[in-house]
C-alpha cells in the first residue's frame, strides 16, 4: 500500500489550545487569514461578501469575508469558547477526510483493507468509512470537549472524557459506496450537551443514554459536503448557514448566510425504481405532482444522486423533497441532525406521519423513513396518508 500521510487517522491532531490549528502536513497553510480574492473562483478576482443578518462585519482585514470561527465568535453568534474549540477540531477532521476522499490512494486503501464485520453485506462498513470514523474520533478526543461520541460505524458509543461538556453523534462518511464514481459524499453530525444528571451511572449506561437524546435537545448540527467544493453547512439554533472551504487558506468562509428553503420546490429526490413497492399514498402523491395536478400547479422533476448529503444540500437550496420512504435511514445519526438544519432553514423533517425531532430514540441504530424539504411540500405529502414503505423485498446494488 502506498505511504500517504493523510491515511493515518491517529497522528497530527490539532492541539488542545482553544482556537489554534497546527501546521498540517501536505496542506496549504490551513490557518492563514482568508484572502480577498477567493481561490475557489479560479483567481478571477471575484470578491465574496457575506451579507446576512447574522453575518457580522467580516474578517480582520475588513474585506467582508468571515470565517467559520469568526462567525461563531463575539461578532457573530457568540456560541462560547468551548463549542468553538469543538468545531475547530471537527473542521480539522473534515479537511483531512476531504483530502482523503479526493486522493488517488483511496482505491488502494479499499483493496488492501479487510473489514471483517458482522453486519449484512449491504451495510458492511467500507474501509474509508472506518478511516473517516477514526479521524473524527481522534480529533474529538484530542479536543477535550466531548464526553461521548456515537457513530454509525460503531456498535456502541465511545466515552471520551468525564468532564467533556458535549455529546457528538455522527455518520462519518455518508454515501461512501459512491466514491469510486466520484459522486459527492458527506459527513453528518449532531451535538448535544452532556446530561450531567447521568454522571453517577456506569460508563456504558451513561454513554448510551447521552447518545439517545431527543432531537429537540440538539444545540447544533451540520453536514460537510465533499464535492466540487467542500461545504460545511451548520446551525446553532439561529438559522442555517453554509461555509465553503478556501483551499488557498484552509479556512471555511461564509458563502451562504441564513439559508431559507423555498416554501415549495419543483424537484423530488427518491429512488423511484422502487415505485411498485411503494404504498398507494406515496405512488398517488408522486403521480400527482409529476403531472402538475397537485396543490402546486407545475410538473415536478426527479433528481436523485443516491447520496443523502448531496440530495439534501440541493433540496435545501432549491426546495422540494428529498426522501427515502423505507425504514432505512438512522434517526440518531442522519434524520435528527438534518431535520434540525431543515427546520432552522424554514423547512421540515418528517417520517411521513410526524415531525422527526419529536421522536424519542430508543436504540442507537434505530431506522425510519425520512422526508426532508420545503414545508408546503412536506405538508402535501403527509396529507396522502400512507407514504411509508413497509415492504422491502431487497435490492442488489
Amino acid at each position: 500500500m502506498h505511504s500517504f500521510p493523510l491515511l493515518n487517522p491517529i497522528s497530527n491532531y490539532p492541539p488542545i489550545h482553544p482556537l489554534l490549528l497546527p501546521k498540517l502536513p501536505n496542506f496549504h497553510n490551513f490557518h492563514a487569514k482568508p484572502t480577498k480574492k477567493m481561490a475557489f473562483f479560479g483567481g478571477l478576482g471575484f470578491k465574496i461578501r457575506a451579507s446576512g443578518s447574522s453575518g457580522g462585519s467580516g474578517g480582520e482585514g475588513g474585506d467582508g469575508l468571515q470565517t467559520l470561527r469568526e462567525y461563531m465568535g463575539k461578532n457573530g453568534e457568540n456560541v462560547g469558547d468551548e463549542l468553538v474549540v469543538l468545531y475547530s477540531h471537527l473542521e480539522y477532521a473534515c479537511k483531512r477526510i476531504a483530502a482523503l476522499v479526493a486522493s488517488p490512494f483511496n482505491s488502494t486503501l479499499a483493496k488492501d483493507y479487510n473489514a471483517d464485520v458482522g453486519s449484512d453485506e449491504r451495510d458492511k462498513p467500507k474501509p474509508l468509512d472506518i478511516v473517516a470514523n477514526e479521524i473524527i474520533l481522534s480529533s474529538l478526543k484530542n479536543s477535550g470537549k466531548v464526553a461521548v461520541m456515537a457513530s454509525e460505524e460503531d456498535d456502541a458509543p465511545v466515552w471520551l472524557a468525564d468532564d467533556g461538556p458535549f455529546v457528538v453523534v455522527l455518520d462519518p462518511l455518508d454515501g461512501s459506496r459512491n466514491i469510486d464514481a466520484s459522486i459527492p459524499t458527506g459527513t453528518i453530525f449532531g451535538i448535544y450537551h452532556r446530561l450531567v444528571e447521568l454522571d453517577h451511572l456506569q460508563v456504558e449506561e451513561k454513554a448510551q443514554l447521552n447518545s439517545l437524546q431527543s432531537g429537540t435537545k440538539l444545540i447544533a448540527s451540520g453536514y460537510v459536503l465533499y464535492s466540487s467544493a467542500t461545504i460545511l453547512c451548520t446551525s446553532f439554533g439561529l438559522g442555517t448557514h453554509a461555509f465553503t472551504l478556501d483551499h488557498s487558506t484552509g479556512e471555511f468562509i461564509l458563502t451562504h448566510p441564513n439559508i431559507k428553503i423555498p416554501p415549495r420546490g419543483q424537484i423530488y429526490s427518491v429512488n423511484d425504481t422502487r415505485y411498485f413497492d411503494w404504498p398507494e399514498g406515496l405512488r398517488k402523491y408522486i403521480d400527482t405532482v409529476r403531472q402538475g395536478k397537485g396543490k402546486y400547479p407545475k410538473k415536478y422533476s426527479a433528481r436523485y444522486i443516491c447520496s443523502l448529503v448531496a440530495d439534501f444540500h440541493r433540496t435545501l437550496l432549491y426546495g422540494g423533497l428529498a426522501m427515502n420512504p423505507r425504514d432505512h435511514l438512522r434517526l440518531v445519526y442522519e434524520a435528527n441532525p438534518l431535520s434540525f438544519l431543515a427546520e432552522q432553514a424554514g423547512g421540515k423533517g418528517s417520517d411521513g406521519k410526524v415531525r422527526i425531532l419529536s421522536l424519542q430514540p430508543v436504540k442507537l441504530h434505530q431506522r425510519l423513513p425520512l422526508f426532508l424539504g420545503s414545508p408546503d411540500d412536506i405538508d402535501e405529502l403527509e396529507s396522502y396518508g400512507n407514504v411509508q414503505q413497509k415492504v422491502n423485498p431487497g435490492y442488489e446494488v
Side-chain angles (χ1 to χ4, degrees), residues 4-207:
F4 188 58
L6 289 173
L7 302 185
N8 182 358
I10 305 301
S11 63
N12 303 316
Y13 304 133
I16 297 179
H17 189 281
L19 298 179
L20 296 180
L21 291 174
K23 185 175 182 180
L24 304 179
N26 295 333
F27 286 96
H28 295 292
N29 193 11
F30 269 2
H31 53 281
K33 295 179 183 178
T35 56
K36 293 184 180 180
K37 295 181 179 181
M38 303 303 290
F40 55 78
F41 280 100
L44 294 178
F46 294 139
K47 187 178 288 187
I48 303 299
R49 293 193 176 275
S51 56
S53 61
S54 51
S57 60
E60 296 175 9
D63 54 15
L65 303 178
Q66 193 170 34
T67 68
L68 174 58
R69 277 174 287 167
E70 289 169 340
Y71 177 82
M72 295 175 67
K74 293 182 179 179
N75 291 327
E77 294 209 15
N78 194 19
V79 300
D81 289 345
E82 290 184 316
L83 195 55
V84 173
V85 173
L86 171 55
Y87 262 73
S88 72
H89 286 74
L90 274 173
E91 282 187 65
Y92 172 89
C94 291
K95 290 170 191 174
R96 294 188 68 190
I97 295 170
L100 179 62
V101 167
S103 166
F105 298 101
N106 65 43
S107 60
T108 303
L109 175 67
K111 292 176 182 177
D112 291 349
Y113 195 106
N114 181 21
D116 183 16
V117 295
S119 58
D120 61 63
E121 188 67 27
R122 176 174 172 76
D123 283 335
K124 182 179 293 186
K126 305 301 187 294
L128 291 180
D129 296 28
I130 296 171
V131 174
N133 193 58
E134 292 182 357
I135 288 172
I136 297 175
L137 175 62
S138 300
S139 290
L140 295 185
K141 182 177 182 180
N142 197 57
S143 75
K145 301 300 179 183
V146 179
V148 58
M149 180 187 108
S151 168
E152 183 176 319
E153 299 302 328
D154 297 325
D155 292 335
V158 180
W159 191 264
L160 298 179
D162 288 341
D163 58 349
F166 302 115
V167 175
V168 178
V169 298
L170 62 97
D171 181 351
L173 194 58
D174 173 75
S176 60
R177 66 170 57 87
N178 293 322
I179 287 177
D180 287 344
S182 297
I183 293 174
T185 55
T187 296
I188 305 170
F189 62 89
I191 300 173
Y192 299 90
H193 286 301
R194 183 184 96 247
L195 299 174
V196 295
E197 61 269 25
L198 302 179
D199 285 350
H200 66 284
L201 299 176
Q202 295 295 317
V203 168
E204 293 80 5
E205 185 177 4
K206 66 182 179 181

Side-chain angles (χ1 to χ4, degrees), residues 86-378:
L86 171 55
Y87 262 73
S88 72
H89 286 74
L90 274 173
E91 282 187 65
Y92 172 89
C94 291
K95 290 170 191 174
R96 294 188 68 190
I97 295 170
L100 179 62
V101 167
S103 166
F105 298 101
N106 65 43
S107 60
T108 303
L109 175 67
K111 292 176 182 177
D112 291 349
Y113 195 106
N114 181 21
D116 183 16
V117 295
S119 58
D120 61 63
E121 188 67 27
R122 176 174 172 76
D123 283 335
K124 182 179 293 186
K126 305 301 187 294
L128 291 180
D129 296 28
I130 296 171
V131 174
N133 193 58
E134 292 182 357
I135 288 172
I136 297 175
L137 175 62
S138 300
S139 290
L140 295 185
K141 182 177 182 180
N142 197 57
S143 75
K145 301 300 179 183
V146 179
V148 58
M149 180 187 108
S151 168
E152 183 176 319
E153 299 302 328
D154 297 325
D155 292 335
V158 180
W159 191 264
L160 298 179
D162 288 341
D163 58 349
F166 302 115
V167 175
V168 178
V169 298
L170 62 97
D171 181 351
L173 194 58
D174 173 75
S176 60
R177 66 170 57 87
N178 293 322
I179 287 177
D180 287 344
S182 297
I183 293 174
T185 55
T187 296
I188 305 170
F189 62 89
I191 300 173
Y192 299 90
H193 286 301
R194 183 184 96 247
L195 299 174
V196 295
E197 61 269 25
L198 302 179
D199 285 350
H200 66 284
L201 299 176
Q202 295 295 317
V203 168
E204 293 80 5
E205 185 177 4
K206 66 182 179 181
Q208 183 92 354
L209 293 176
N210 270 285
S211 303
L212 291 176
Q213 296 187 56
S214 165
T216 57
K217 294 184 178 180
L218 280 164
I219 62 169
S221 78
Y223 63 79
V224 181
L225 174 67
Y226 309 114
S227 185
S228 55
T230 299
I231 297 176
L232 191 158
C233 183
T234 192
S235 176
F236 306 101
L238 293 172
T240 296
H241 317 277
F243 301 77
T244 303
L245 179 62
D246 176 11
H247 290 282
S248 72
T249 65
E251 294 282 5
F252 280 100
I253 305 298
L254 179 62
T255 51
H256 299 74
N258 294 308
I259 295 172
K260 297 298 181 186
I261 189 169
R264 277 197 180 274
Q266 203 175 338
I267 296 172
Y268 69 89
S269 176
V270 67
N271 185 354
D272 55 10
T273 61
R274 302 177 179 181
Y275 175 91
F276 296 103
D277 297 314
W278 289 347
E280 181 181 357
L282 183 57
R283 290 200 309 270
K284 186 175 180 180
Y285 169 76
I286 294 296
D287 289 343
T288 301
V289 298
R290 287 175 62 180
Q291 296 175 72
K293 295 181 179 180
K295 293 181 180 179
Y296 188 45
K298 291 187 177 181
K299 294 181 179 180
Y300 280 44
S301 299
R303 299 286 187 273
Y304 184 58
I305 302 173
C306 192
S307 173
L308 178 59
V309 170
D311 282 315
F312 177 67
H313 181 71
R314 182 195 55 246
T315 303
L316 197 61
L317 297 182
Y318 301 151
L321 290 160
M323 59 183 121
N324 190 324
R326 296 183 298 140
D327 288 327
H328 181 67
L329 298 174
R330 291 166 173 84
L331 173 59
V332 172
Y333 311 114
E334 296 166 318
N336 270 338
L338 295 184
S339 294
F340 183 79
L341 290 172
E343 290 194 6
Q344 289 297 317
K348 290 189 174 185
S350 170
D351 72 347
K353 294 182 178 179
V354 299
R355 178 189 180 212
I356 289 290
L357 296 184
S358 70
L359 300 172
Q360 174 60 52
V362 295
K363 57 183 180 180
L364 276 176
H365 300 284
Q366 181 176 339
R367 296 175 185 259
L368 78 173
L370 178 61
F371 302 86
L372 298 162
S374 297
D376 292 350
D377 286 317
I378 294 288

